Amino acid sequence: MKSTLAAIALAMAFTTTGFAAEGIVYTVKTHEVLTLKKISKTKFEKISQVATGVATLENVSGSRRETITSENINEADTNNYVSLEVTGKNIVRLVDQAEAINKEVPATISTSLFGSVKKINVNATIVNSLYANSIKKAGIRAFRSLGLFSIFLSSSLTTTDMNCEADGDLLVCTQDSVLLVGAQ
């Protein structure tokens, strides 16, 4: 999750106010796949996490868009501990040690007749709220590296829910996001 959330950080660091017709627009489109291994019929621990996509910086003047830079995103993380565990009928415990998160959150859970997890869906708003502090810090660092920290900023973020589906002894979770940040 954090690969995508680090990219999303730019949006969470500032209030959404709408985009002007003139200025710089930073767009980040990502697709994240979090793969977890089955520890028990209700608990899964991360094996890998991959985020792919594209980040584009554009100069916008009216209807004209000029690409300043465009970079492919391909980040992988196998080190940081992440786990998902079903603890109730519609409750999942999400643990992310790197971000000091250990919370139970509501989720839509589908299980087999014998109680093994088949699917988990966590609403995008819930995931974003869990990572809000780290996203804000990462966003401030990213803007400073672009030299945009003293400019008026606006942002817009669209994410999908985190959808997880069992595949044998694996639980594969996916989430997409589109982030737009404007600076004048």
Side-chain angles (χ1 to χ4, degrees):
M1 278 173 255
K2 279 187 296 325
S3 297
T4 300
L5 293 172
I8 295 170
L10 299 172
M12 297 301 288
F14 300 92
T15 306
T16 301
T17 59
F19 287 93
E22 305 273 332
I24 304 257
V25 176
Y26 184 59
T27 305
V28 180
K29 295 179 181 180
T30 57
H31 174 75
E32 184 167 349
V33 178
L34 171 64
T35 305
L36 303 110
K37 68 180 176 179
K38 186 176 190 176
I39 302 303
S40 69
K41 67 180 179 178
T42 59
K43 184 173 182 176
F44 300 85
E45 293 179 348
K46 180 177 91 173
I47 296 173
S48 69
Q49 188 171 9
V50 176
T52 57
V54 66
T56 306
L57 189 62
E58 297 176 301
N59 186 13
V60 178
S61 178
S63 62
R64 193 178 81 113
R65 296 174 91 82
E66 176 187 351
T67 300
I68 298 168
T69 184
S70 182
E71 182 178 348
N72 288 329
I73 298 168
N74 190 2
E75 298 178 8
D77 177 13
T78 57
N79 297 325
N80 295 316
Y81 179 81
V82 176
S83 71
L84 284 175
E85 181 178 12
V86 175
T87 58
K89 184 175 179 180
N90 293 310
I91 301 171
V92 173
R93 176 172 297 281
L94 173 64
V95 176
D96 186 332
Q97 285 184 336
E99 300 299 330
I101 296 171
N102 186 345
K103 298 268 186 189
E104 287 187 328
V105 296
T108 304
I109 302 163
S110 173
T111 59
S112 70
L113 185 61
F114 300 106
S116 293
V117 173
K118 290 174 27 182
K119 293 181 182 181
I120 298 174
N121 175 281
V122 180
N123 185 286
T125 305
I126 293 168
V127 175
N128 289 343
S129 70
L130 290 173
Y131 286 91
N133 287 336
S134 64
I135 290 170
K136 183 175 181 179
K137 289 176 188 175
I140 291 169
R141 284 192 307 270
F143 276 120
R144 285 183 179 153
S145 73
L146 291 173
L148 300 175
F149 52 88
S150 65
I151 300 172
F152 173 75
L153 299 167
S154 59
S155 63
S156 170
L157 172 65
T158 305
T159 63
T160 61
D161 294 348
M162 183 174 69
N163 291 304
C164 304
E165 198 163 326
D167 181 11
D169 285 340
L170 299 176
L171 186 68
V172 180
C173 303
T174 60
Q175 187 172 24
D176 294 319
S177 64
V178 176
L179 161 70
L180 298 171
V181 179
Q184 294 180 326

